Amino acid sequence: MNIFKQLVKSIYSPKDIALFRFQGIGKTILYVFLLTLISILPSIIYLSTALTTGIDSARTIISKELPDFSIKKGQLTADTLVPVTSNQDNFTIILDPTGTISDTDVENEGNAFALLKDEFVLAAGGQSNIYPYAMLQGLNFSKEDLLNFIDTIAGNRGIIIPLLSLFIYLVSSASSFVEVSVLAIIGLVLKNLLGRKLTYRQLWRMAAYSETLPTLFFTIMAAIKTSVPNSFMINWLVVIIVLYLAINEIPKPKKKITE
């Protein structure tokens, strides 16, 4: 069965997920990479769109509407006592040295770029990427530096977008493998509760395919820019239920008849 047929089967068939425990580990790893790619497609598309259409709007807003500011020693300071928010062409820029606005607030804005007290946030399509200033040791940044940086991005967007997409993909892939590994550990508990004989390697394969349904669901929600409350808990609840059903499809070991 090819990997795309497995994708379809894994949406609705715990029985097929159970059968996938016998396949090679290489194919399962490839499947995790495929799921990760699917899951980040909305983010990459929205990021590309926001970067392409938002550069001109951002330059206009920053130069004309934002007060002078600077980032030193991991903190934002600005000539304002309240958060400043400006919107142009469906792109929002936020400057908040007060700590009032959170990254969730930025995410709810849709396409937005925010300089917050301790971090900057880039949001696109209901999802956000957060970068603390502390990550950049010795960062000294001003309004004029930001304008120059925007001009640089505008001239190199054909290189920047693929590099950002690759970075997002690699980070997301690492996160996916960690999630599958943790789910497989949970599977060890489930298989003991259900009285099934399975190894961790088999459970890891099954865990990878159990991720299919919630991954596709949240990808669709991201594509239509719909935020799902408690998405973290819902994701884990669904994958655990799917893995439980898959383990339950495996026949119990036959009991030895003693004379």
Side-chain angles (χ1 to χ4, degrees):
M1 187 182 298
N2 70 46
I3 198 168
F4 295 103
K5 286 184 178 179
Q6 288 182 319
L7 177 69
V8 175
K9 291 281 188 180
S10 298
I11 297 173
Y12 64 87
S13 178
K15 184 176 182 180
D16 282 290
I17 291 175
L19 293 174
F20 296 155
R21 71 189 186 275
F22 295 119
Q23 74 175 20
I25 190 64
K27 190 173 184 180
T28 307
I29 290 173
L30 179 62
Y31 187 81
V32 175
F33 279 120
L34 174 64
L35 272 187
T36 304
L37 178 61
I38 292 171
S39 70
I40 66 169
L41 281 178
S43 295
I44 290 176
I45 292 171
Y46 290 131
L47 175 63
S48 301
T49 303
L51 191 61
T52 301
T53 62
I55 287 174
D56 291 337
S57 298
R59 202 183 199 297
T60 300
I61 293 171
I62 292 170
S63 61
K64 295 183 178 180
E65 300 183 26
L66 294 189
D68 288 335
F69 63 85
S70 64
I71 300 170
K72 293 180 181 180
K73 298 180 180 180
Q75 293 284 318
L76 171 69
T77 58
D79 294 339
T80 178
L81 299 177
V82 294
V84 178
T85 301
S86 184
N87 184 284
Q88 183 174 322
D89 299 329
N90 295 319
F91 187 83
T92 302
I93 290 185
I94 300 170
L95 180 72
D96 177 27
T98 67
T100 303
I101 295 176
S102 68
D103 54 273
T104 303
D105 297 327
V106 180
E107 184 177 314
N108 292 335
E109 291 289 337
N111 295 328
F113 174 75
L115 292 168
L116 305 183
K117 185 176 182 180
D118 303 306
E119 62 197 10
F120 68 88
V121 182
L122 180 62
Q127 296 187 1
S128 60
N129 296 289
I130 303 166
Y131 307 94
Y133 304 136
M135 289 176 58
L136 304 173
Q137 295 293 332
L139 174 67
N140 291 309
F141 211 69
S142 66
K143 178 177 176 177
E144 190 62 32
D145 292 328
L146 181 57
L147 290 172
N148 292 334
F149 180 65
I150 290 173
D151 290 337
T152 301
I153 291 176
N156 296 280
R157 72 186 75 180
I159 299 173
I160 292 172
I161 291 175
L163 287 177
L164 281 176
S165 299
L166 179 60
F167 176 75
I168 292 171
Y169 181 54
L170 292 176
V171 172
S172 299
S173 295
S175 177
S176 295
F177 280 103
V178 170
E179 185 172 327
V180 170
S181 298
V182 172
L183 183 59
I185 293 173
I186 295 173
L188 291 173
V189 178
L190 296 177
K191 67 104 175 176
N192 289 332
L193 291 174
L194 293 170
R196 298 320 196 260
K197 190 175 181 180
L198 290 164
T199 66
Y200 177 81
R201 295 172 66 182
Q202 291 174 327
L203 286 165
W204 199 94
R205 293 176 175 89
M206 293 170 64
Y209 290 94
S210 298
E211 296 276 354
T212 305
L213 180 60
T215 296
L216 295 180
F217 171 75
F218 286 112
T219 300
I220 293 171
M221 292 298 101
I224 61 177
K225 300 181 182 181
T226 301
S227 179
V228 180
N230 302 313
S231 58
F232 179 82
M233 295 300 298
I234 292 172
N235 175 72
W236 276 101
L237 178 63
V238 173
V239 296
I240 290 172
I241 290 174
V242 172
L243 182 59
Y244 175 89
L245 294 174
I247 293 173
N248 198 45
E249 288 290 338
I250 297 171
K252 288 184 176 180
K254 293 181 180 180
K255 295 182 179 180
K256 292 182 180 180
I257 299 176
T258 56
E259 295 183 358

